[in-house]
């Protein structure tokens, strides 16, 4: 309902003379697909009717003269100044015929009950009953959290990050640059799923909050070749600096995305410094919300079979607490597309699509939710739609290397020539933690026939960086095989089997299909490696 209200208010501000139609509300406001049929489905009309009654109940309880209202028969949000003017509004009493048909007799009676100004006492009693119910529900939820989940409360939400900056810069130009850098980083961090941008100063932090918070510091100094900025991240829980770097101050604000973007990715990416530090301290019983996402991303990178039931369980628990958590729904969507070799059951593209659509209800501005729908499109064979949505996700969080890498990998599967630019961007954003992008680029170069260039790039990859996963060994086996270095290809293959083999009687083709989500890539790998004699069976 809050998503719908926000959409309708935005529309009333931006297009005051053209209220949205039912189709627009369904698709743009409520996340339905573009093939939604307003003639066959009254969903948008019913939801607007629900919202209308909720607004009426809210203002009746608050007793405010100024209020938002949605006239019956219309989809435009209006500002109403008092009850007298509300009753005198012309042209708003004739309901839409289709909308009336979508409202049950009970709902119609409720509308009349809410509009009757003589029922103030009855309304107060009704709200009191609802309030008691809410208090009971919240207390029940608190009891649940205070029980089995008590040790994990700090991990249900992403950690906070507090900004501090140098006070030593005295020149006006330096002060201006320091402020610009801070504002850029604050804005970039605010798009990350791994952080909550904290308001206020660290001195105002509440007792206990430091267990899930960090301090980011930027300090301008004089360097040997010009001004430099020292950037550092301090864990408030451990009271120590866990990461720092020094870079030359960019020449202008236009250079910030290229120069500071990798800083954002390194600190706030899903495999960045903060996420790694959070995983290190993650309690065993932390299973809800952000803690679940940490486990999910770990599984997504490494495909550890032992993590699979843990991730599936925490996704289920998280959705029981919040059925519209957009990032958890995005994770659930991904899990629905895993191949049978990974889960023991057939993939469910329809469930994956439904999870992605639900994620969009609350997460239209959330890159993970948008990319879930992009991934669903890719997996269902719609490369054009997948690319369109992936570009939106990239724009929402342009410094998340994993989204860039996955976009490139999917475009590679679609034989799209733009695949390499996303993969290269992912590597530029996180040179030490972008194994998926590096291996994806290696595979892209192989597909383009650039075998020597692929080999040169592959041998520069550092396999000890964060989130290596099976793709590294697959890529190395393929690139060595393509360059006729069969012995080295077999070493990479044997390392893959040793690290990720299930221990069962599993054929090489089944192993590849279990580890590699993209069926096109799995088949390409099998064809190449079996054709070169690296694997048999």
């Amino acid at each position: 309902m809050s998503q719908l209200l926000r959409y309708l208010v935005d529309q009333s501000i931006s297009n005051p003379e053209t209220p949205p139609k039912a189709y627009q509300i369904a698709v743009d406001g409520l996340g339905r697909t573009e093939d939604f049929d307003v003639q066959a489905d009254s969903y948008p009309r019913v939801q607007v009717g629900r919202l209308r009654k909720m607004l009426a109940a809210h203002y009746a309880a608050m007793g405010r003269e100024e209020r938002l209202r949605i006239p019956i028969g219309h989809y435009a949000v209006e500002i109403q100044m008092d009850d007298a003017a509300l009753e005198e509004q012309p042209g708003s009493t004739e309901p839409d015929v289709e909308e009336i048909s979508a409202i049950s007799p009970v709902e119609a009676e409720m509308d009349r009950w809410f509009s009757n100004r003589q029922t103030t006492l009855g309304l107060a009693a009704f709200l009191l009953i609802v309030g008691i119910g809410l208090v009971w529900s919240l207390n029940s939820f608190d009891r649940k959290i205070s029980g089995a989940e008590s040790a994990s409360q700090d991990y249900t939400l992403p950690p906070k990050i507090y900004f501090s900056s140098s006070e030593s810069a005295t020149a006006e130009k330096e002060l201006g640059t320091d402020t610009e850098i801070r504002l850029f980083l604050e804005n970039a961090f605010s798009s990350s799923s791994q952080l909550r941008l904290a308001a206020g100063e660290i001195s105002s932090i509440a007792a206990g909050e430091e267990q899930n918070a960090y301090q980011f510091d930027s300090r301008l100094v004089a360097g040997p070749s010009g001004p430099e900025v020292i950037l550092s991240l301090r864990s408030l829980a451990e009271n120590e600096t866990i990461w720092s770097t020094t870079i030359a101050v960019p020449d202008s604000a236009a250079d910030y995305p290229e120069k500071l973007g990798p800083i954002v990715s390194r600190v706030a990416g899903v495999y960045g410094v903060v996420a790694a530090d959070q995983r290190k301290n993650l309690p065993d019983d932390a299973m809800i919300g952000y803690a679940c996402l940490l486990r999910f991303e770990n599984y997504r990178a490494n495909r550890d079979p032992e993590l699979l039931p843990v991730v599936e369980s925490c996704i289920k628990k998280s959705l029981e607490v919040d059925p519209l958590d957009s990032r958890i729904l995005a994770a659930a969507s991904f899990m629905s597309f895993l191949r049978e070799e990974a889960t023991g059951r057939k993939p469910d593209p329809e469930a994956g699509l439904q999870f992605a659509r639900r994620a969009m209800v609350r997460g239209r501005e959330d890159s993970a939710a948008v990319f879930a729908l992009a991934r669903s499109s890719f997996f269902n064979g719609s490369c054009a739609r997948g690319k369109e949505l992936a570009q939106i996700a990239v724009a929402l969080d342009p410094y998340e290397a994993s989204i860039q890498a996955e976009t490139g990998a999917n475009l590679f599967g679609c034989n799209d020539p733009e695949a390499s630019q996303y993969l290269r961007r992912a590597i530029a954003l996180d040179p030490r933690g972008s194994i998926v992008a590096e291996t994806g680029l290696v595979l892209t170069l192989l597909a383009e026939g650039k075998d020597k260039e692929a080999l040169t790039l592959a041998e520069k990859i550092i396999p000890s960086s964060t989130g290596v996963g099976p793709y590294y060994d697959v890529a190395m086996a393929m690139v060595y095989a393509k360059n006729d270095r069969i012995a080295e290809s077999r070493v990479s293959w044997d390392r893959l089997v040793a690290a990720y083999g299930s221990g069962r009687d599993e054929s090489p083709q089944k192993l590849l299909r279990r580890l590699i989500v993209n069926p096109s890539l799995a088949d390409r790998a099998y064809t190449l490696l079996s054709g070169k004699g690296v694997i048999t069976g």
Side-chain angles (χ1 to χ4, degrees):
M1 290 295 100
S2 60
Q3 173 80 13
L4 176 58
L5 178 60
R6 184 180 297 109
Y7 171 76
L8 293 177
V9 169
D10 287 344
Q11 288 297 305
S12 295
I13 293 171
S14 57
N15 301 295
E17 304 300 324
T18 310
K21 303 295 185 182
Y23 175 81
Q24 293 173 270
I25 292 172
V27 175
D28 297 331
L30 294 166
R32 289 300 187 259
T33 56
E34 294 178 355
D35 59 356
F36 183 84
D37 186 354
V38 293
Q39 301 301 320
D41 194 335
S42 61
Y43 180 72
R45 295 188 291 278
V46 171
Q47 297 308 311
V48 172
R50 285 184 59 206
L51 179 60
R52 181 181 294 115
K53 288 190 283 291
M54 291 175 71
L55 286 173
H58 168 73
Y59 288 118
M62 296 293 291
R64 293 176 60 92
E65 294 184 351
E66 308 85 8
R67 61 185 65 192
L68 296 178
R69 66 185 291 261
I70 306 173
I72 294 177
H74 298 271
Y75 295 136
V77 176
E78 299 178 353
I79 297 176
Q80 185 62 51
M81 298 306 296
D82 55 47
D83 286 345
L86 177 66
E87 295 170 355
E88 296 168 4
Q89 276 283 336
S92 63
T93 57
E94 293 299 323
D96 182 87
V97 174
E98 292 181 327
E99 185 171 38
I100 290 179
S101 66
I103 300 177
S104 68
V106 173
E107 288 177 314
E109 181 61 30
M110 287 292 288
D111 269 341
R112 286 192 292 273
W113 187 76
F114 276 124
S115 64
N116 188 342
R117 299 185 64 195
Q118 302 302 316
T119 59
T120 303
L121 292 177
L123 178 59
F126 171 76
L127 291 171
L128 179 61
I129 293 171
V130 172
I132 293 171
L134 284 173
V135 170
W136 182 87
S137 299
L138 290 171
N139 285 338
S140 298
F141 177 76
D142 285 343
R143 285 193 296 273
K144 177 181 177 183
I145 290 297
S146 64
E149 305 294 341
S150 60
S152 64
Q153 290 184 56
D154 285 341
Y155 292 88
T156 57
L157 294 175
K160 290 183 178 180
I161 186 166
Y162 291 82
F163 270 77
S164 63
S165 57
S166 170
E167 298 179 357
S168 61
T170 55
E172 184 176 345
K173 181 179 180 181
E174 289 180 338
L175 286 171
T177 301
D178 188 40
T179 301
E180 289 175 357
I181 290 175
R182 171 176 170 154
L183 290 175
F184 175 87
L185 292 171
E186 285 184 351
N187 183 60
F189 283 148
S190 69
S191 300
S192 171
S193 62
Q194 304 303 310
L195 296 169
R196 289 179 293 155
L197 200 60
E201 300 296 328
I202 294 179
S203 58
S204 64
I205 192 169
E209 276 191 319
E210 70 277 0
Q211 296 301 313
N212 201 24
Y214 297 85
Q215 175 186 350
F216 190 87
D217 181 72
S218 61
R219 184 160 53 94
L220 289 174
V221 297
S225 303
E228 296 178 338
V229 57
I230 300 175
L231 304 164
S232 63
L233 184 73
R234 184 167 68 94
S235 167
L236 298 183
E238 300 169 9
N239 195 27
E240 65 179 17
T241 298
I242 60 174
W243 173 89
S244 67
T245 190
T246 302
I247 64 170
V249 172
D251 293 333
S252 69
D255 297 320
Y256 288 177
E258 179 184 353
K259 302 296 184 182
L260 298 177
I263 304 297
V264 177
S265 180
R266 185 62 182 154
V267 172
V270 295
Y271 302 117
V273 176
V274 169
D277 188 64
Q278 291 286 295
R279 287 188 183 93
K280 181 180 69 174
N281 299 299
L282 191 63
D284 291 340
D285 65 343
M287 298 286 283
I288 305 299
Y290 174 67
C292 183
L293 292 175
L294 290 173
R295 300 177 189 278
F296 163 72
E297 294 296 351
N298 194 15
Y299 173 78
R300 189 161 72 103
N302 296 290
R303 297 294 197 279
D304 183 350
E306 293 185 3
L307 270 178
L308 178 63
V310 176
V311 171
E312 291 183 326
S313 174
C314 79
I315 287 175
K316 180 180 178 181
K317 289 182 178 180
S318 295
L319 291 180
E320 288 173 354
V321 173
D322 184 355
L324 287 179
D325 186 322
S326 59
R327 290 183 172 93
I328 294 292
L329 287 166
S333 176
F334 176 90
M335 301 297 286
S336 299
F337 288 106
L338 288 175
R339 304 184 70 165
E340 186 174 2
E341 290 82 358
T343 63
R345 60 179 179 274
K346 295 186 181 297
D348 191 345
E350 181 59 31
L353 176 60
Q354 292 304 321
F355 279 126
R357 286 174 175 172
R358 285 172 58 194
M360 288 289 286
V361 172
R362 185 187 293 171
R364 190 166 293 276
E365 300 300 318
D366 181 351
S367 59
V370 176
F371 195 82
L373 205 52
R375 185 189 294 117
S376 177
S377 297
F378 282 126
F379 276 62
N380 285 297
S382 179
C383 288
R385 180 62 172 161
K387 182 178 181 179
E388 177 187 355
L389 289 165
Q391 289 172 330
I392 296 173
V394 167
L396 287 171
D397 192 356
Y399 308 110
E400 177 51 69
S402 66
I403 291 181
Q404 302 271 356
E406 198 171 346
T407 298
N410 280 291
L411 292 179
F412 167 72
C414 293
N415 297 311
D416 190 304
E418 293 184 22
S420 61
Q421 77 179 48
Y422 287 97
L423 295 169
R424 292 182 189 277
R425 176 60 175 161
I427 294 170
L429 284 173
D430 193 357
R432 293 174 292 180
S434 53
I435 288 292
V436 172
E438 291 173 311
T439 54
L441 186 55
V442 167
L443 298 171
T444 299
L445 293 172
L446 287 178
E448 294 173 353
K450 300 174 181 178
D451 300 344
K452 297 298 182 185
E453 185 180 349
L455 179 61
T456 301
L457 173 63
E459 292 188 324
K460 291 180 180 179
I461 297 175
I462 303 173
S464 60
S465 51
T466 305
V468 174
Y471 281 84
Y472 171 74
D473 288 317
V474 171
M476 296 305 294
M478 291 178 69
V479 74
Y480 282 134
K482 198 76 181 292
N483 284 275
D484 294 319
R485 292 166 58 169
I486 305 303
E488 290 162 292
S489 178
R490 285 176 179 153
V491 169
S492 294
W493 175 259
D494 290 343
R495 188 169 58 235
L496 176 78
V497 173
Y500 301 101
S502 65
R504 303 188 299 268
D505 184 17
E506 187 175 41
S507 69
Q509 188 172 23
K510 286 185 176 180
L511 173 62
L512 287 168
R513 291 192 172 196
R514 174 167 63 83
L515 297 177
I516 301 175
V517 178
N518 187 316
S520 173
L521 177 55
D523 291 341
R524 290 186 200 185
Y526 177 75
T527 300
L528 172 61
L529 296 176
S530 59
K532 290 287 187 177
V534 176
I535 58 176
T536 57

Short mmCIF file of all heavy atoms in Angstrom, two decimals, residues 466-493:
data_model
loop_
_atom_site.label_atom_id
_atom_site.label_comp_id
_atom_site.label_asym_id
_atom_site.label_seq_id
_atom_site.Cartn_x
_atom_site.Cartn_y
_atom_site.Cartn_z
N THR A 466 38.62 -12.84 -3.31
CA THR A 466 37.33 -13.16 -2.69
C THR A 466 36.37 -13.82 -3.68
O THR A 466 36.22 -13.37 -4.81
CB THR A 466 36.69 -11.86 -2.17
OG1 THR A 466 37.61 -11.24 -1.31
CG2 THR A 466 35.40 -12.16 -1.44
N GLY A 467 35.70 -14.87 -3.21
CA GLY A 467 34.64 -15.46 -4.01
C GLY A 467 35.13 -16.13 -5.27
O GLY A 467 34.60 -15.89 -6.34
N VAL A 468 36.16 -16.98 -5.19
CA VAL A 468 36.71 -17.63 -6.38
C VAL A 468 35.64 -18.46 -7.06
O VAL A 468 35.32 -18.26 -8.22
CB VAL A 468 37.94 -18.50 -6.02
CG1 VAL A 468 38.40 -19.28 -7.23
CG2 VAL A 468 39.05 -17.62 -5.49
N GLY A 469 35.10 -19.43 -6.36
CA GLY A 469 34.04 -20.25 -6.91
C GLY A 469 34.51 -21.17 -8.02
O GLY A 469 35.68 -21.19 -8.40
N PRO A 470 33.61 -21.98 -8.57
CA PRO A 470 33.98 -22.97 -9.58
C PRO A 470 34.30 -22.37 -10.95
O PRO A 470 34.95 -23.01 -11.76
CB PRO A 470 32.73 -23.86 -9.66
CG PRO A 470 31.61 -22.96 -9.25
CD PRO A 470 32.20 -22.04 -8.21
N TYR A 471 33.82 -21.14 -11.20
CA TYR A 471 34.01 -20.57 -12.53
C TYR A 471 35.49 -20.39 -12.87
O TYR A 471 35.88 -20.48 -14.03
CB TYR A 471 33.28 -19.22 -12.63
CG TYR A 471 31.80 -19.37 -12.87
CD1 TYR A 471 30.93 -19.57 -11.81
CD2 TYR A 471 31.27 -19.34 -14.15
CE1 TYR A 471 29.58 -19.73 -12.00
CE2 TYR A 471 29.91 -19.49 -14.37
CZ TYR A 471 29.07 -19.68 -13.30
OH TYR A 471 27.73 -19.85 -13.51
N TYR A 472 36.31 -20.15 -11.87
CA TYR A 472 37.73 -19.95 -12.13
C TYR A 472 38.35 -21.21 -12.74
O TYR A 472 39.02 -21.17 -13.77
CB TYR A 472 38.46 -19.56 -10.85
CG TYR A 472 39.96 -19.56 -10.98
CD1 TYR A 472 40.61 -18.54 -11.67
CD2 TYR A 472 40.73 -20.59 -10.44
CE1 TYR A 472 41.99 -18.53 -11.81
CE2 TYR A 472 42.11 -20.59 -10.58
CZ TYR A 472 42.73 -19.57 -11.27
OH TYR A 472 44.09 -19.58 -11.41
N ASP A 473 38.13 -22.35 -12.08
CA ASP A 473 38.71 -23.60 -12.58
C ASP A 473 38.11 -24.00 -13.92
O ASP A 473 38.83 -24.54 -14.78
CB ASP A 473 38.52 -24.72 -11.56
CG ASP A 473 39.42 -24.52 -10.33
OD1 ASP A 473 40.59 -24.16 -10.51
OD2 ASP A 473 38.93 -24.71 -9.20
N VAL A 474 36.83 -23.76 -14.11
CA VAL A 474 36.21 -24.05 -15.41
C VAL A 474 36.86 -23.20 -16.50
O VAL A 474 37.24 -23.71 -17.58
CB VAL A 474 34.70 -23.79 -15.38
CG1 VAL A 474 34.11 -23.87 -16.79
CG2 VAL A 474 34.00 -24.79 -14.47
N ALA A 475 37.02 -21.91 -16.23
CA ALA A 475 37.61 -21.01 -17.23
C ALA A 475 39.05 -21.40 -17.52
O ALA A 475 39.49 -21.41 -18.68
CB ALA A 475 37.54 -19.57 -16.74
N MET A 476 39.81 -21.73 -16.46
CA MET A 476 41.21 -22.10 -16.68
C MET A 476 41.32 -23.40 -17.47
O MET A 476 42.17 -23.53 -18.37
CB MET A 476 41.93 -22.24 -15.34
CG MET A 476 42.03 -20.95 -14.54
SD MET A 476 42.77 -19.56 -15.43
CE MET A 476 44.46 -20.14 -15.64
N ALA A 477 40.47 -24.36 -17.16
CA ALA A 477 40.48 -25.61 -17.92
C ALA A 477 40.17 -25.35 -19.39
O ALA A 477 40.80 -25.91 -20.29
CB ALA A 477 39.48 -26.60 -17.32
N MET A 478 39.20 -24.47 -19.64
CA MET A 478 38.81 -24.17 -21.02
C MET A 478 39.89 -23.41 -21.78
O MET A 478 40.19 -23.70 -22.94
CB MET A 478 37.49 -23.39 -21.02
CG MET A 478 36.29 -24.20 -20.59
SD MET A 478 34.76 -23.23 -20.54
CE MET A 478 34.50 -22.93 -22.31
N VAL A 479 40.48 -22.41 -21.12
CA VAL A 479 41.44 -21.57 -21.84
C VAL A 479 42.71 -22.36 -22.13
O VAL A 479 43.32 -22.22 -23.21
CB VAL A 479 41.74 -20.28 -21.06
CG1 VAL A 479 42.62 -20.52 -19.85
CG2 VAL A 479 42.38 -19.23 -21.98
N TYR A 480 43.12 -23.23 -21.21
CA TYR A 480 44.29 -24.07 -21.48
C TYR A 480 43.99 -25.06 -22.60
O TYR A 480 44.83 -25.30 -23.48
CB TYR A 480 44.72 -24.81 -20.21
CG TYR A 480 45.49 -23.96 -19.23
CD1 TYR A 480 45.19 -23.97 -17.87
CD2 TYR A 480 46.55 -23.15 -19.66
CE1 TYR A 480 45.91 -23.20 -16.97
CE2 TYR A 480 47.27 -22.37 -18.77
CZ TYR A 480 46.93 -22.40 -17.42
OH TYR A 480 47.65 -21.62 -16.52
N ALA A 481 42.79 -25.64 -22.56
CA ALA A 481 42.41 -26.60 -23.61
C ALA A 481 42.37 -25.92 -24.99
O ALA A 481 42.83 -26.48 -25.99
CB ALA A 481 41.07 -27.23 -23.29
N LYS A 482 41.82 -24.71 -25.02
CA LYS A 482 41.69 -24.00 -26.30
C LYS A 482 43.06 -23.65 -26.87
O LYS A 482 43.23 -23.53 -28.09
CB LYS A 482 40.87 -22.72 -26.08
CG LYS A 482 40.29 -22.11 -27.36
CD LYS A 482 39.09 -22.90 -27.84
CE LYS A 482 38.52 -22.32 -29.13
NZ LYS A 482 37.90 -21.01 -28.94
N ASN A 483 44.06 -23.49 -25.98
CA ASN A 483 45.42 -23.18 -26.42
C ASN A 483 46.29 -24.43 -26.47
O ASN A 483 47.52 -24.34 -26.50
CB ASN A 483 46.04 -22.13 -25.49
CG ASN A 483 45.51 -20.73 -25.75
OD1 ASN A 483 46.00 -20.00 -26.61
ND2 ASN A 483 44.48 -20.34 -24.99
N ASP A 484 45.63 -25.60 -26.45
CA ASP A 484 46.30 -26.90 -26.58
C ASP A 484 47.32 -27.18 -25.48
O ASP A 484 48.29 -27.90 -25.69
CB ASP A 484 46.96 -27.03 -27.97
CG ASP A 484 45.93 -27.06 -29.09
OD1 ASP A 484 44.89 -27.73 -28.93
OD2 ASP A 484 46.15 -26.39 -30.12
N ARG A 485 47.10 -26.64 -24.31
CA ARG A 485 47.94 -26.96 -23.15
C ARG A 485 47.13 -27.93 -22.28
O ARG A 485 46.60 -27.60 -21.23
CB ARG A 485 48.33 -25.68 -22.42
CG ARG A 485 49.29 -24.83 -23.26
CD ARG A 485 49.47 -23.41 -22.77
NE ARG A 485 49.96 -23.30 -21.41
CZ ARG A 485 50.38 -22.14 -20.87
NH1 ARG A 485 50.41 -21.03 -21.61
NH2 ARG A 485 50.80 -22.10 -19.62
N ILE A 486 47.04 -29.17 -22.78
CA ILE A 486 46.11 -30.15 -22.25
C ILE A 486 46.46 -30.57 -20.83
O ILE A 486 45.58 -30.74 -19.98
CB ILE A 486 46.05 -31.39 -23.18
CG1 ILE A 486 45.71 -30.95 -24.63
CG2 ILE A 486 45.02 -32.38 -22.67
CD1 ILE A 486 44.42 -30.17 -24.76
N ALA A 487 47.74 -30.75 -20.54
CA ALA A 487 48.14 -31.18 -19.19
C ALA A 487 47.68 -30.16 -18.15
O ALA A 487 47.16 -30.52 -17.08
CB ALA A 487 49.65 -31.38 -19.13
N GLU A 488 47.88 -28.86 -18.44
CA GLU A 488 47.46 -27.82 -17.50
C GLU A 488 45.94 -27.73 -17.41
O GLU A 488 45.38 -27.45 -16.34
CB GLU A 488 48.05 -26.47 -17.94
CG GLU A 488 49.55 -26.40 -17.76
CD GLU A 488 50.18 -25.28 -18.56
OE1 GLU A 488 50.18 -25.38 -19.80
OE2 GLU A 488 50.65 -24.31 -17.94
N SER A 489 45.27 -28.02 -18.51
CA SER A 489 43.80 -28.05 -18.50
C SER A 489 43.31 -29.15 -17.57
O SER A 489 42.36 -28.95 -16.80
CB SER A 489 43.27 -28.26 -19.92
OG SER A 489 41.86 -28.34 -19.90
N ARG A 490 43.95 -30.30 -17.62
CA ARG A 490 43.54 -31.41 -16.75
C ARG A 490 43.80 -31.10 -15.28
O ARG A 490 43.03 -31.51 -14.41
CB ARG A 490 44.29 -32.69 -17.16
CG ARG A 490 43.74 -33.30 -18.45
CD ARG A 490 44.54 -34.50 -18.89
NE ARG A 490 43.98 -35.09 -20.10
CZ ARG A 490 44.69 -35.77 -20.99
NH1 ARG A 490 46.00 -35.94 -20.80
NH2 ARG A 490 44.11 -36.28 -22.06
N VAL A 491 44.87 -30.38 -14.99
CA VAL A 491 45.14 -29.97 -13.61
C VAL A 491 43.99 -29.11 -13.09
O VAL A 491 43.51 -29.29 -11.96
CB VAL A 491 46.48 -29.22 -13.52
CG1 VAL A 491 46.63 -28.56 -12.15
CG2 VAL A 491 47.64 -30.16 -13.77
N SER A 492 43.55 -28.14 -13.92
CA SER A 492 42.44 -27.27 -13.51
C SER A 492 41.16 -28.07 -13.34
O SER A 492 40.39 -27.84 -12.38
CB SER A 492 42.23 -26.17 -14.56
OG SER A 492 43.33 -25.31 -14.61
N TRP A 493 40.93 -29.03 -14.24
CA TRP A 493 39.73 -29.85 -14.12
C TRP A 493 39.76 -30.70 -12.85
O TRP A 493 38.77 -30.79 -12.13
CB TRP A 493 39.56 -30.74 -15.35
CG TRP A 493 38.41 -31.68 -15.20
CD1 TRP A 493 38.44 -33.00 -14.88
CD2 TRP A 493 37.02 -31.34 -15.33
NE1 TRP A 493 37.17 -33.52 -14.79
CE2 TRP A 493 36.28 -32.52 -15.07
CE3 TRP A 493 36.34 -30.17 -15.64
CZ2 TRP A 493 34.89 -32.54 -15.11
CZ3 TRP A 493 34.95 -30.20 -15.69
CH2 TRP A 493 34.24 -31.37 -15.42
#
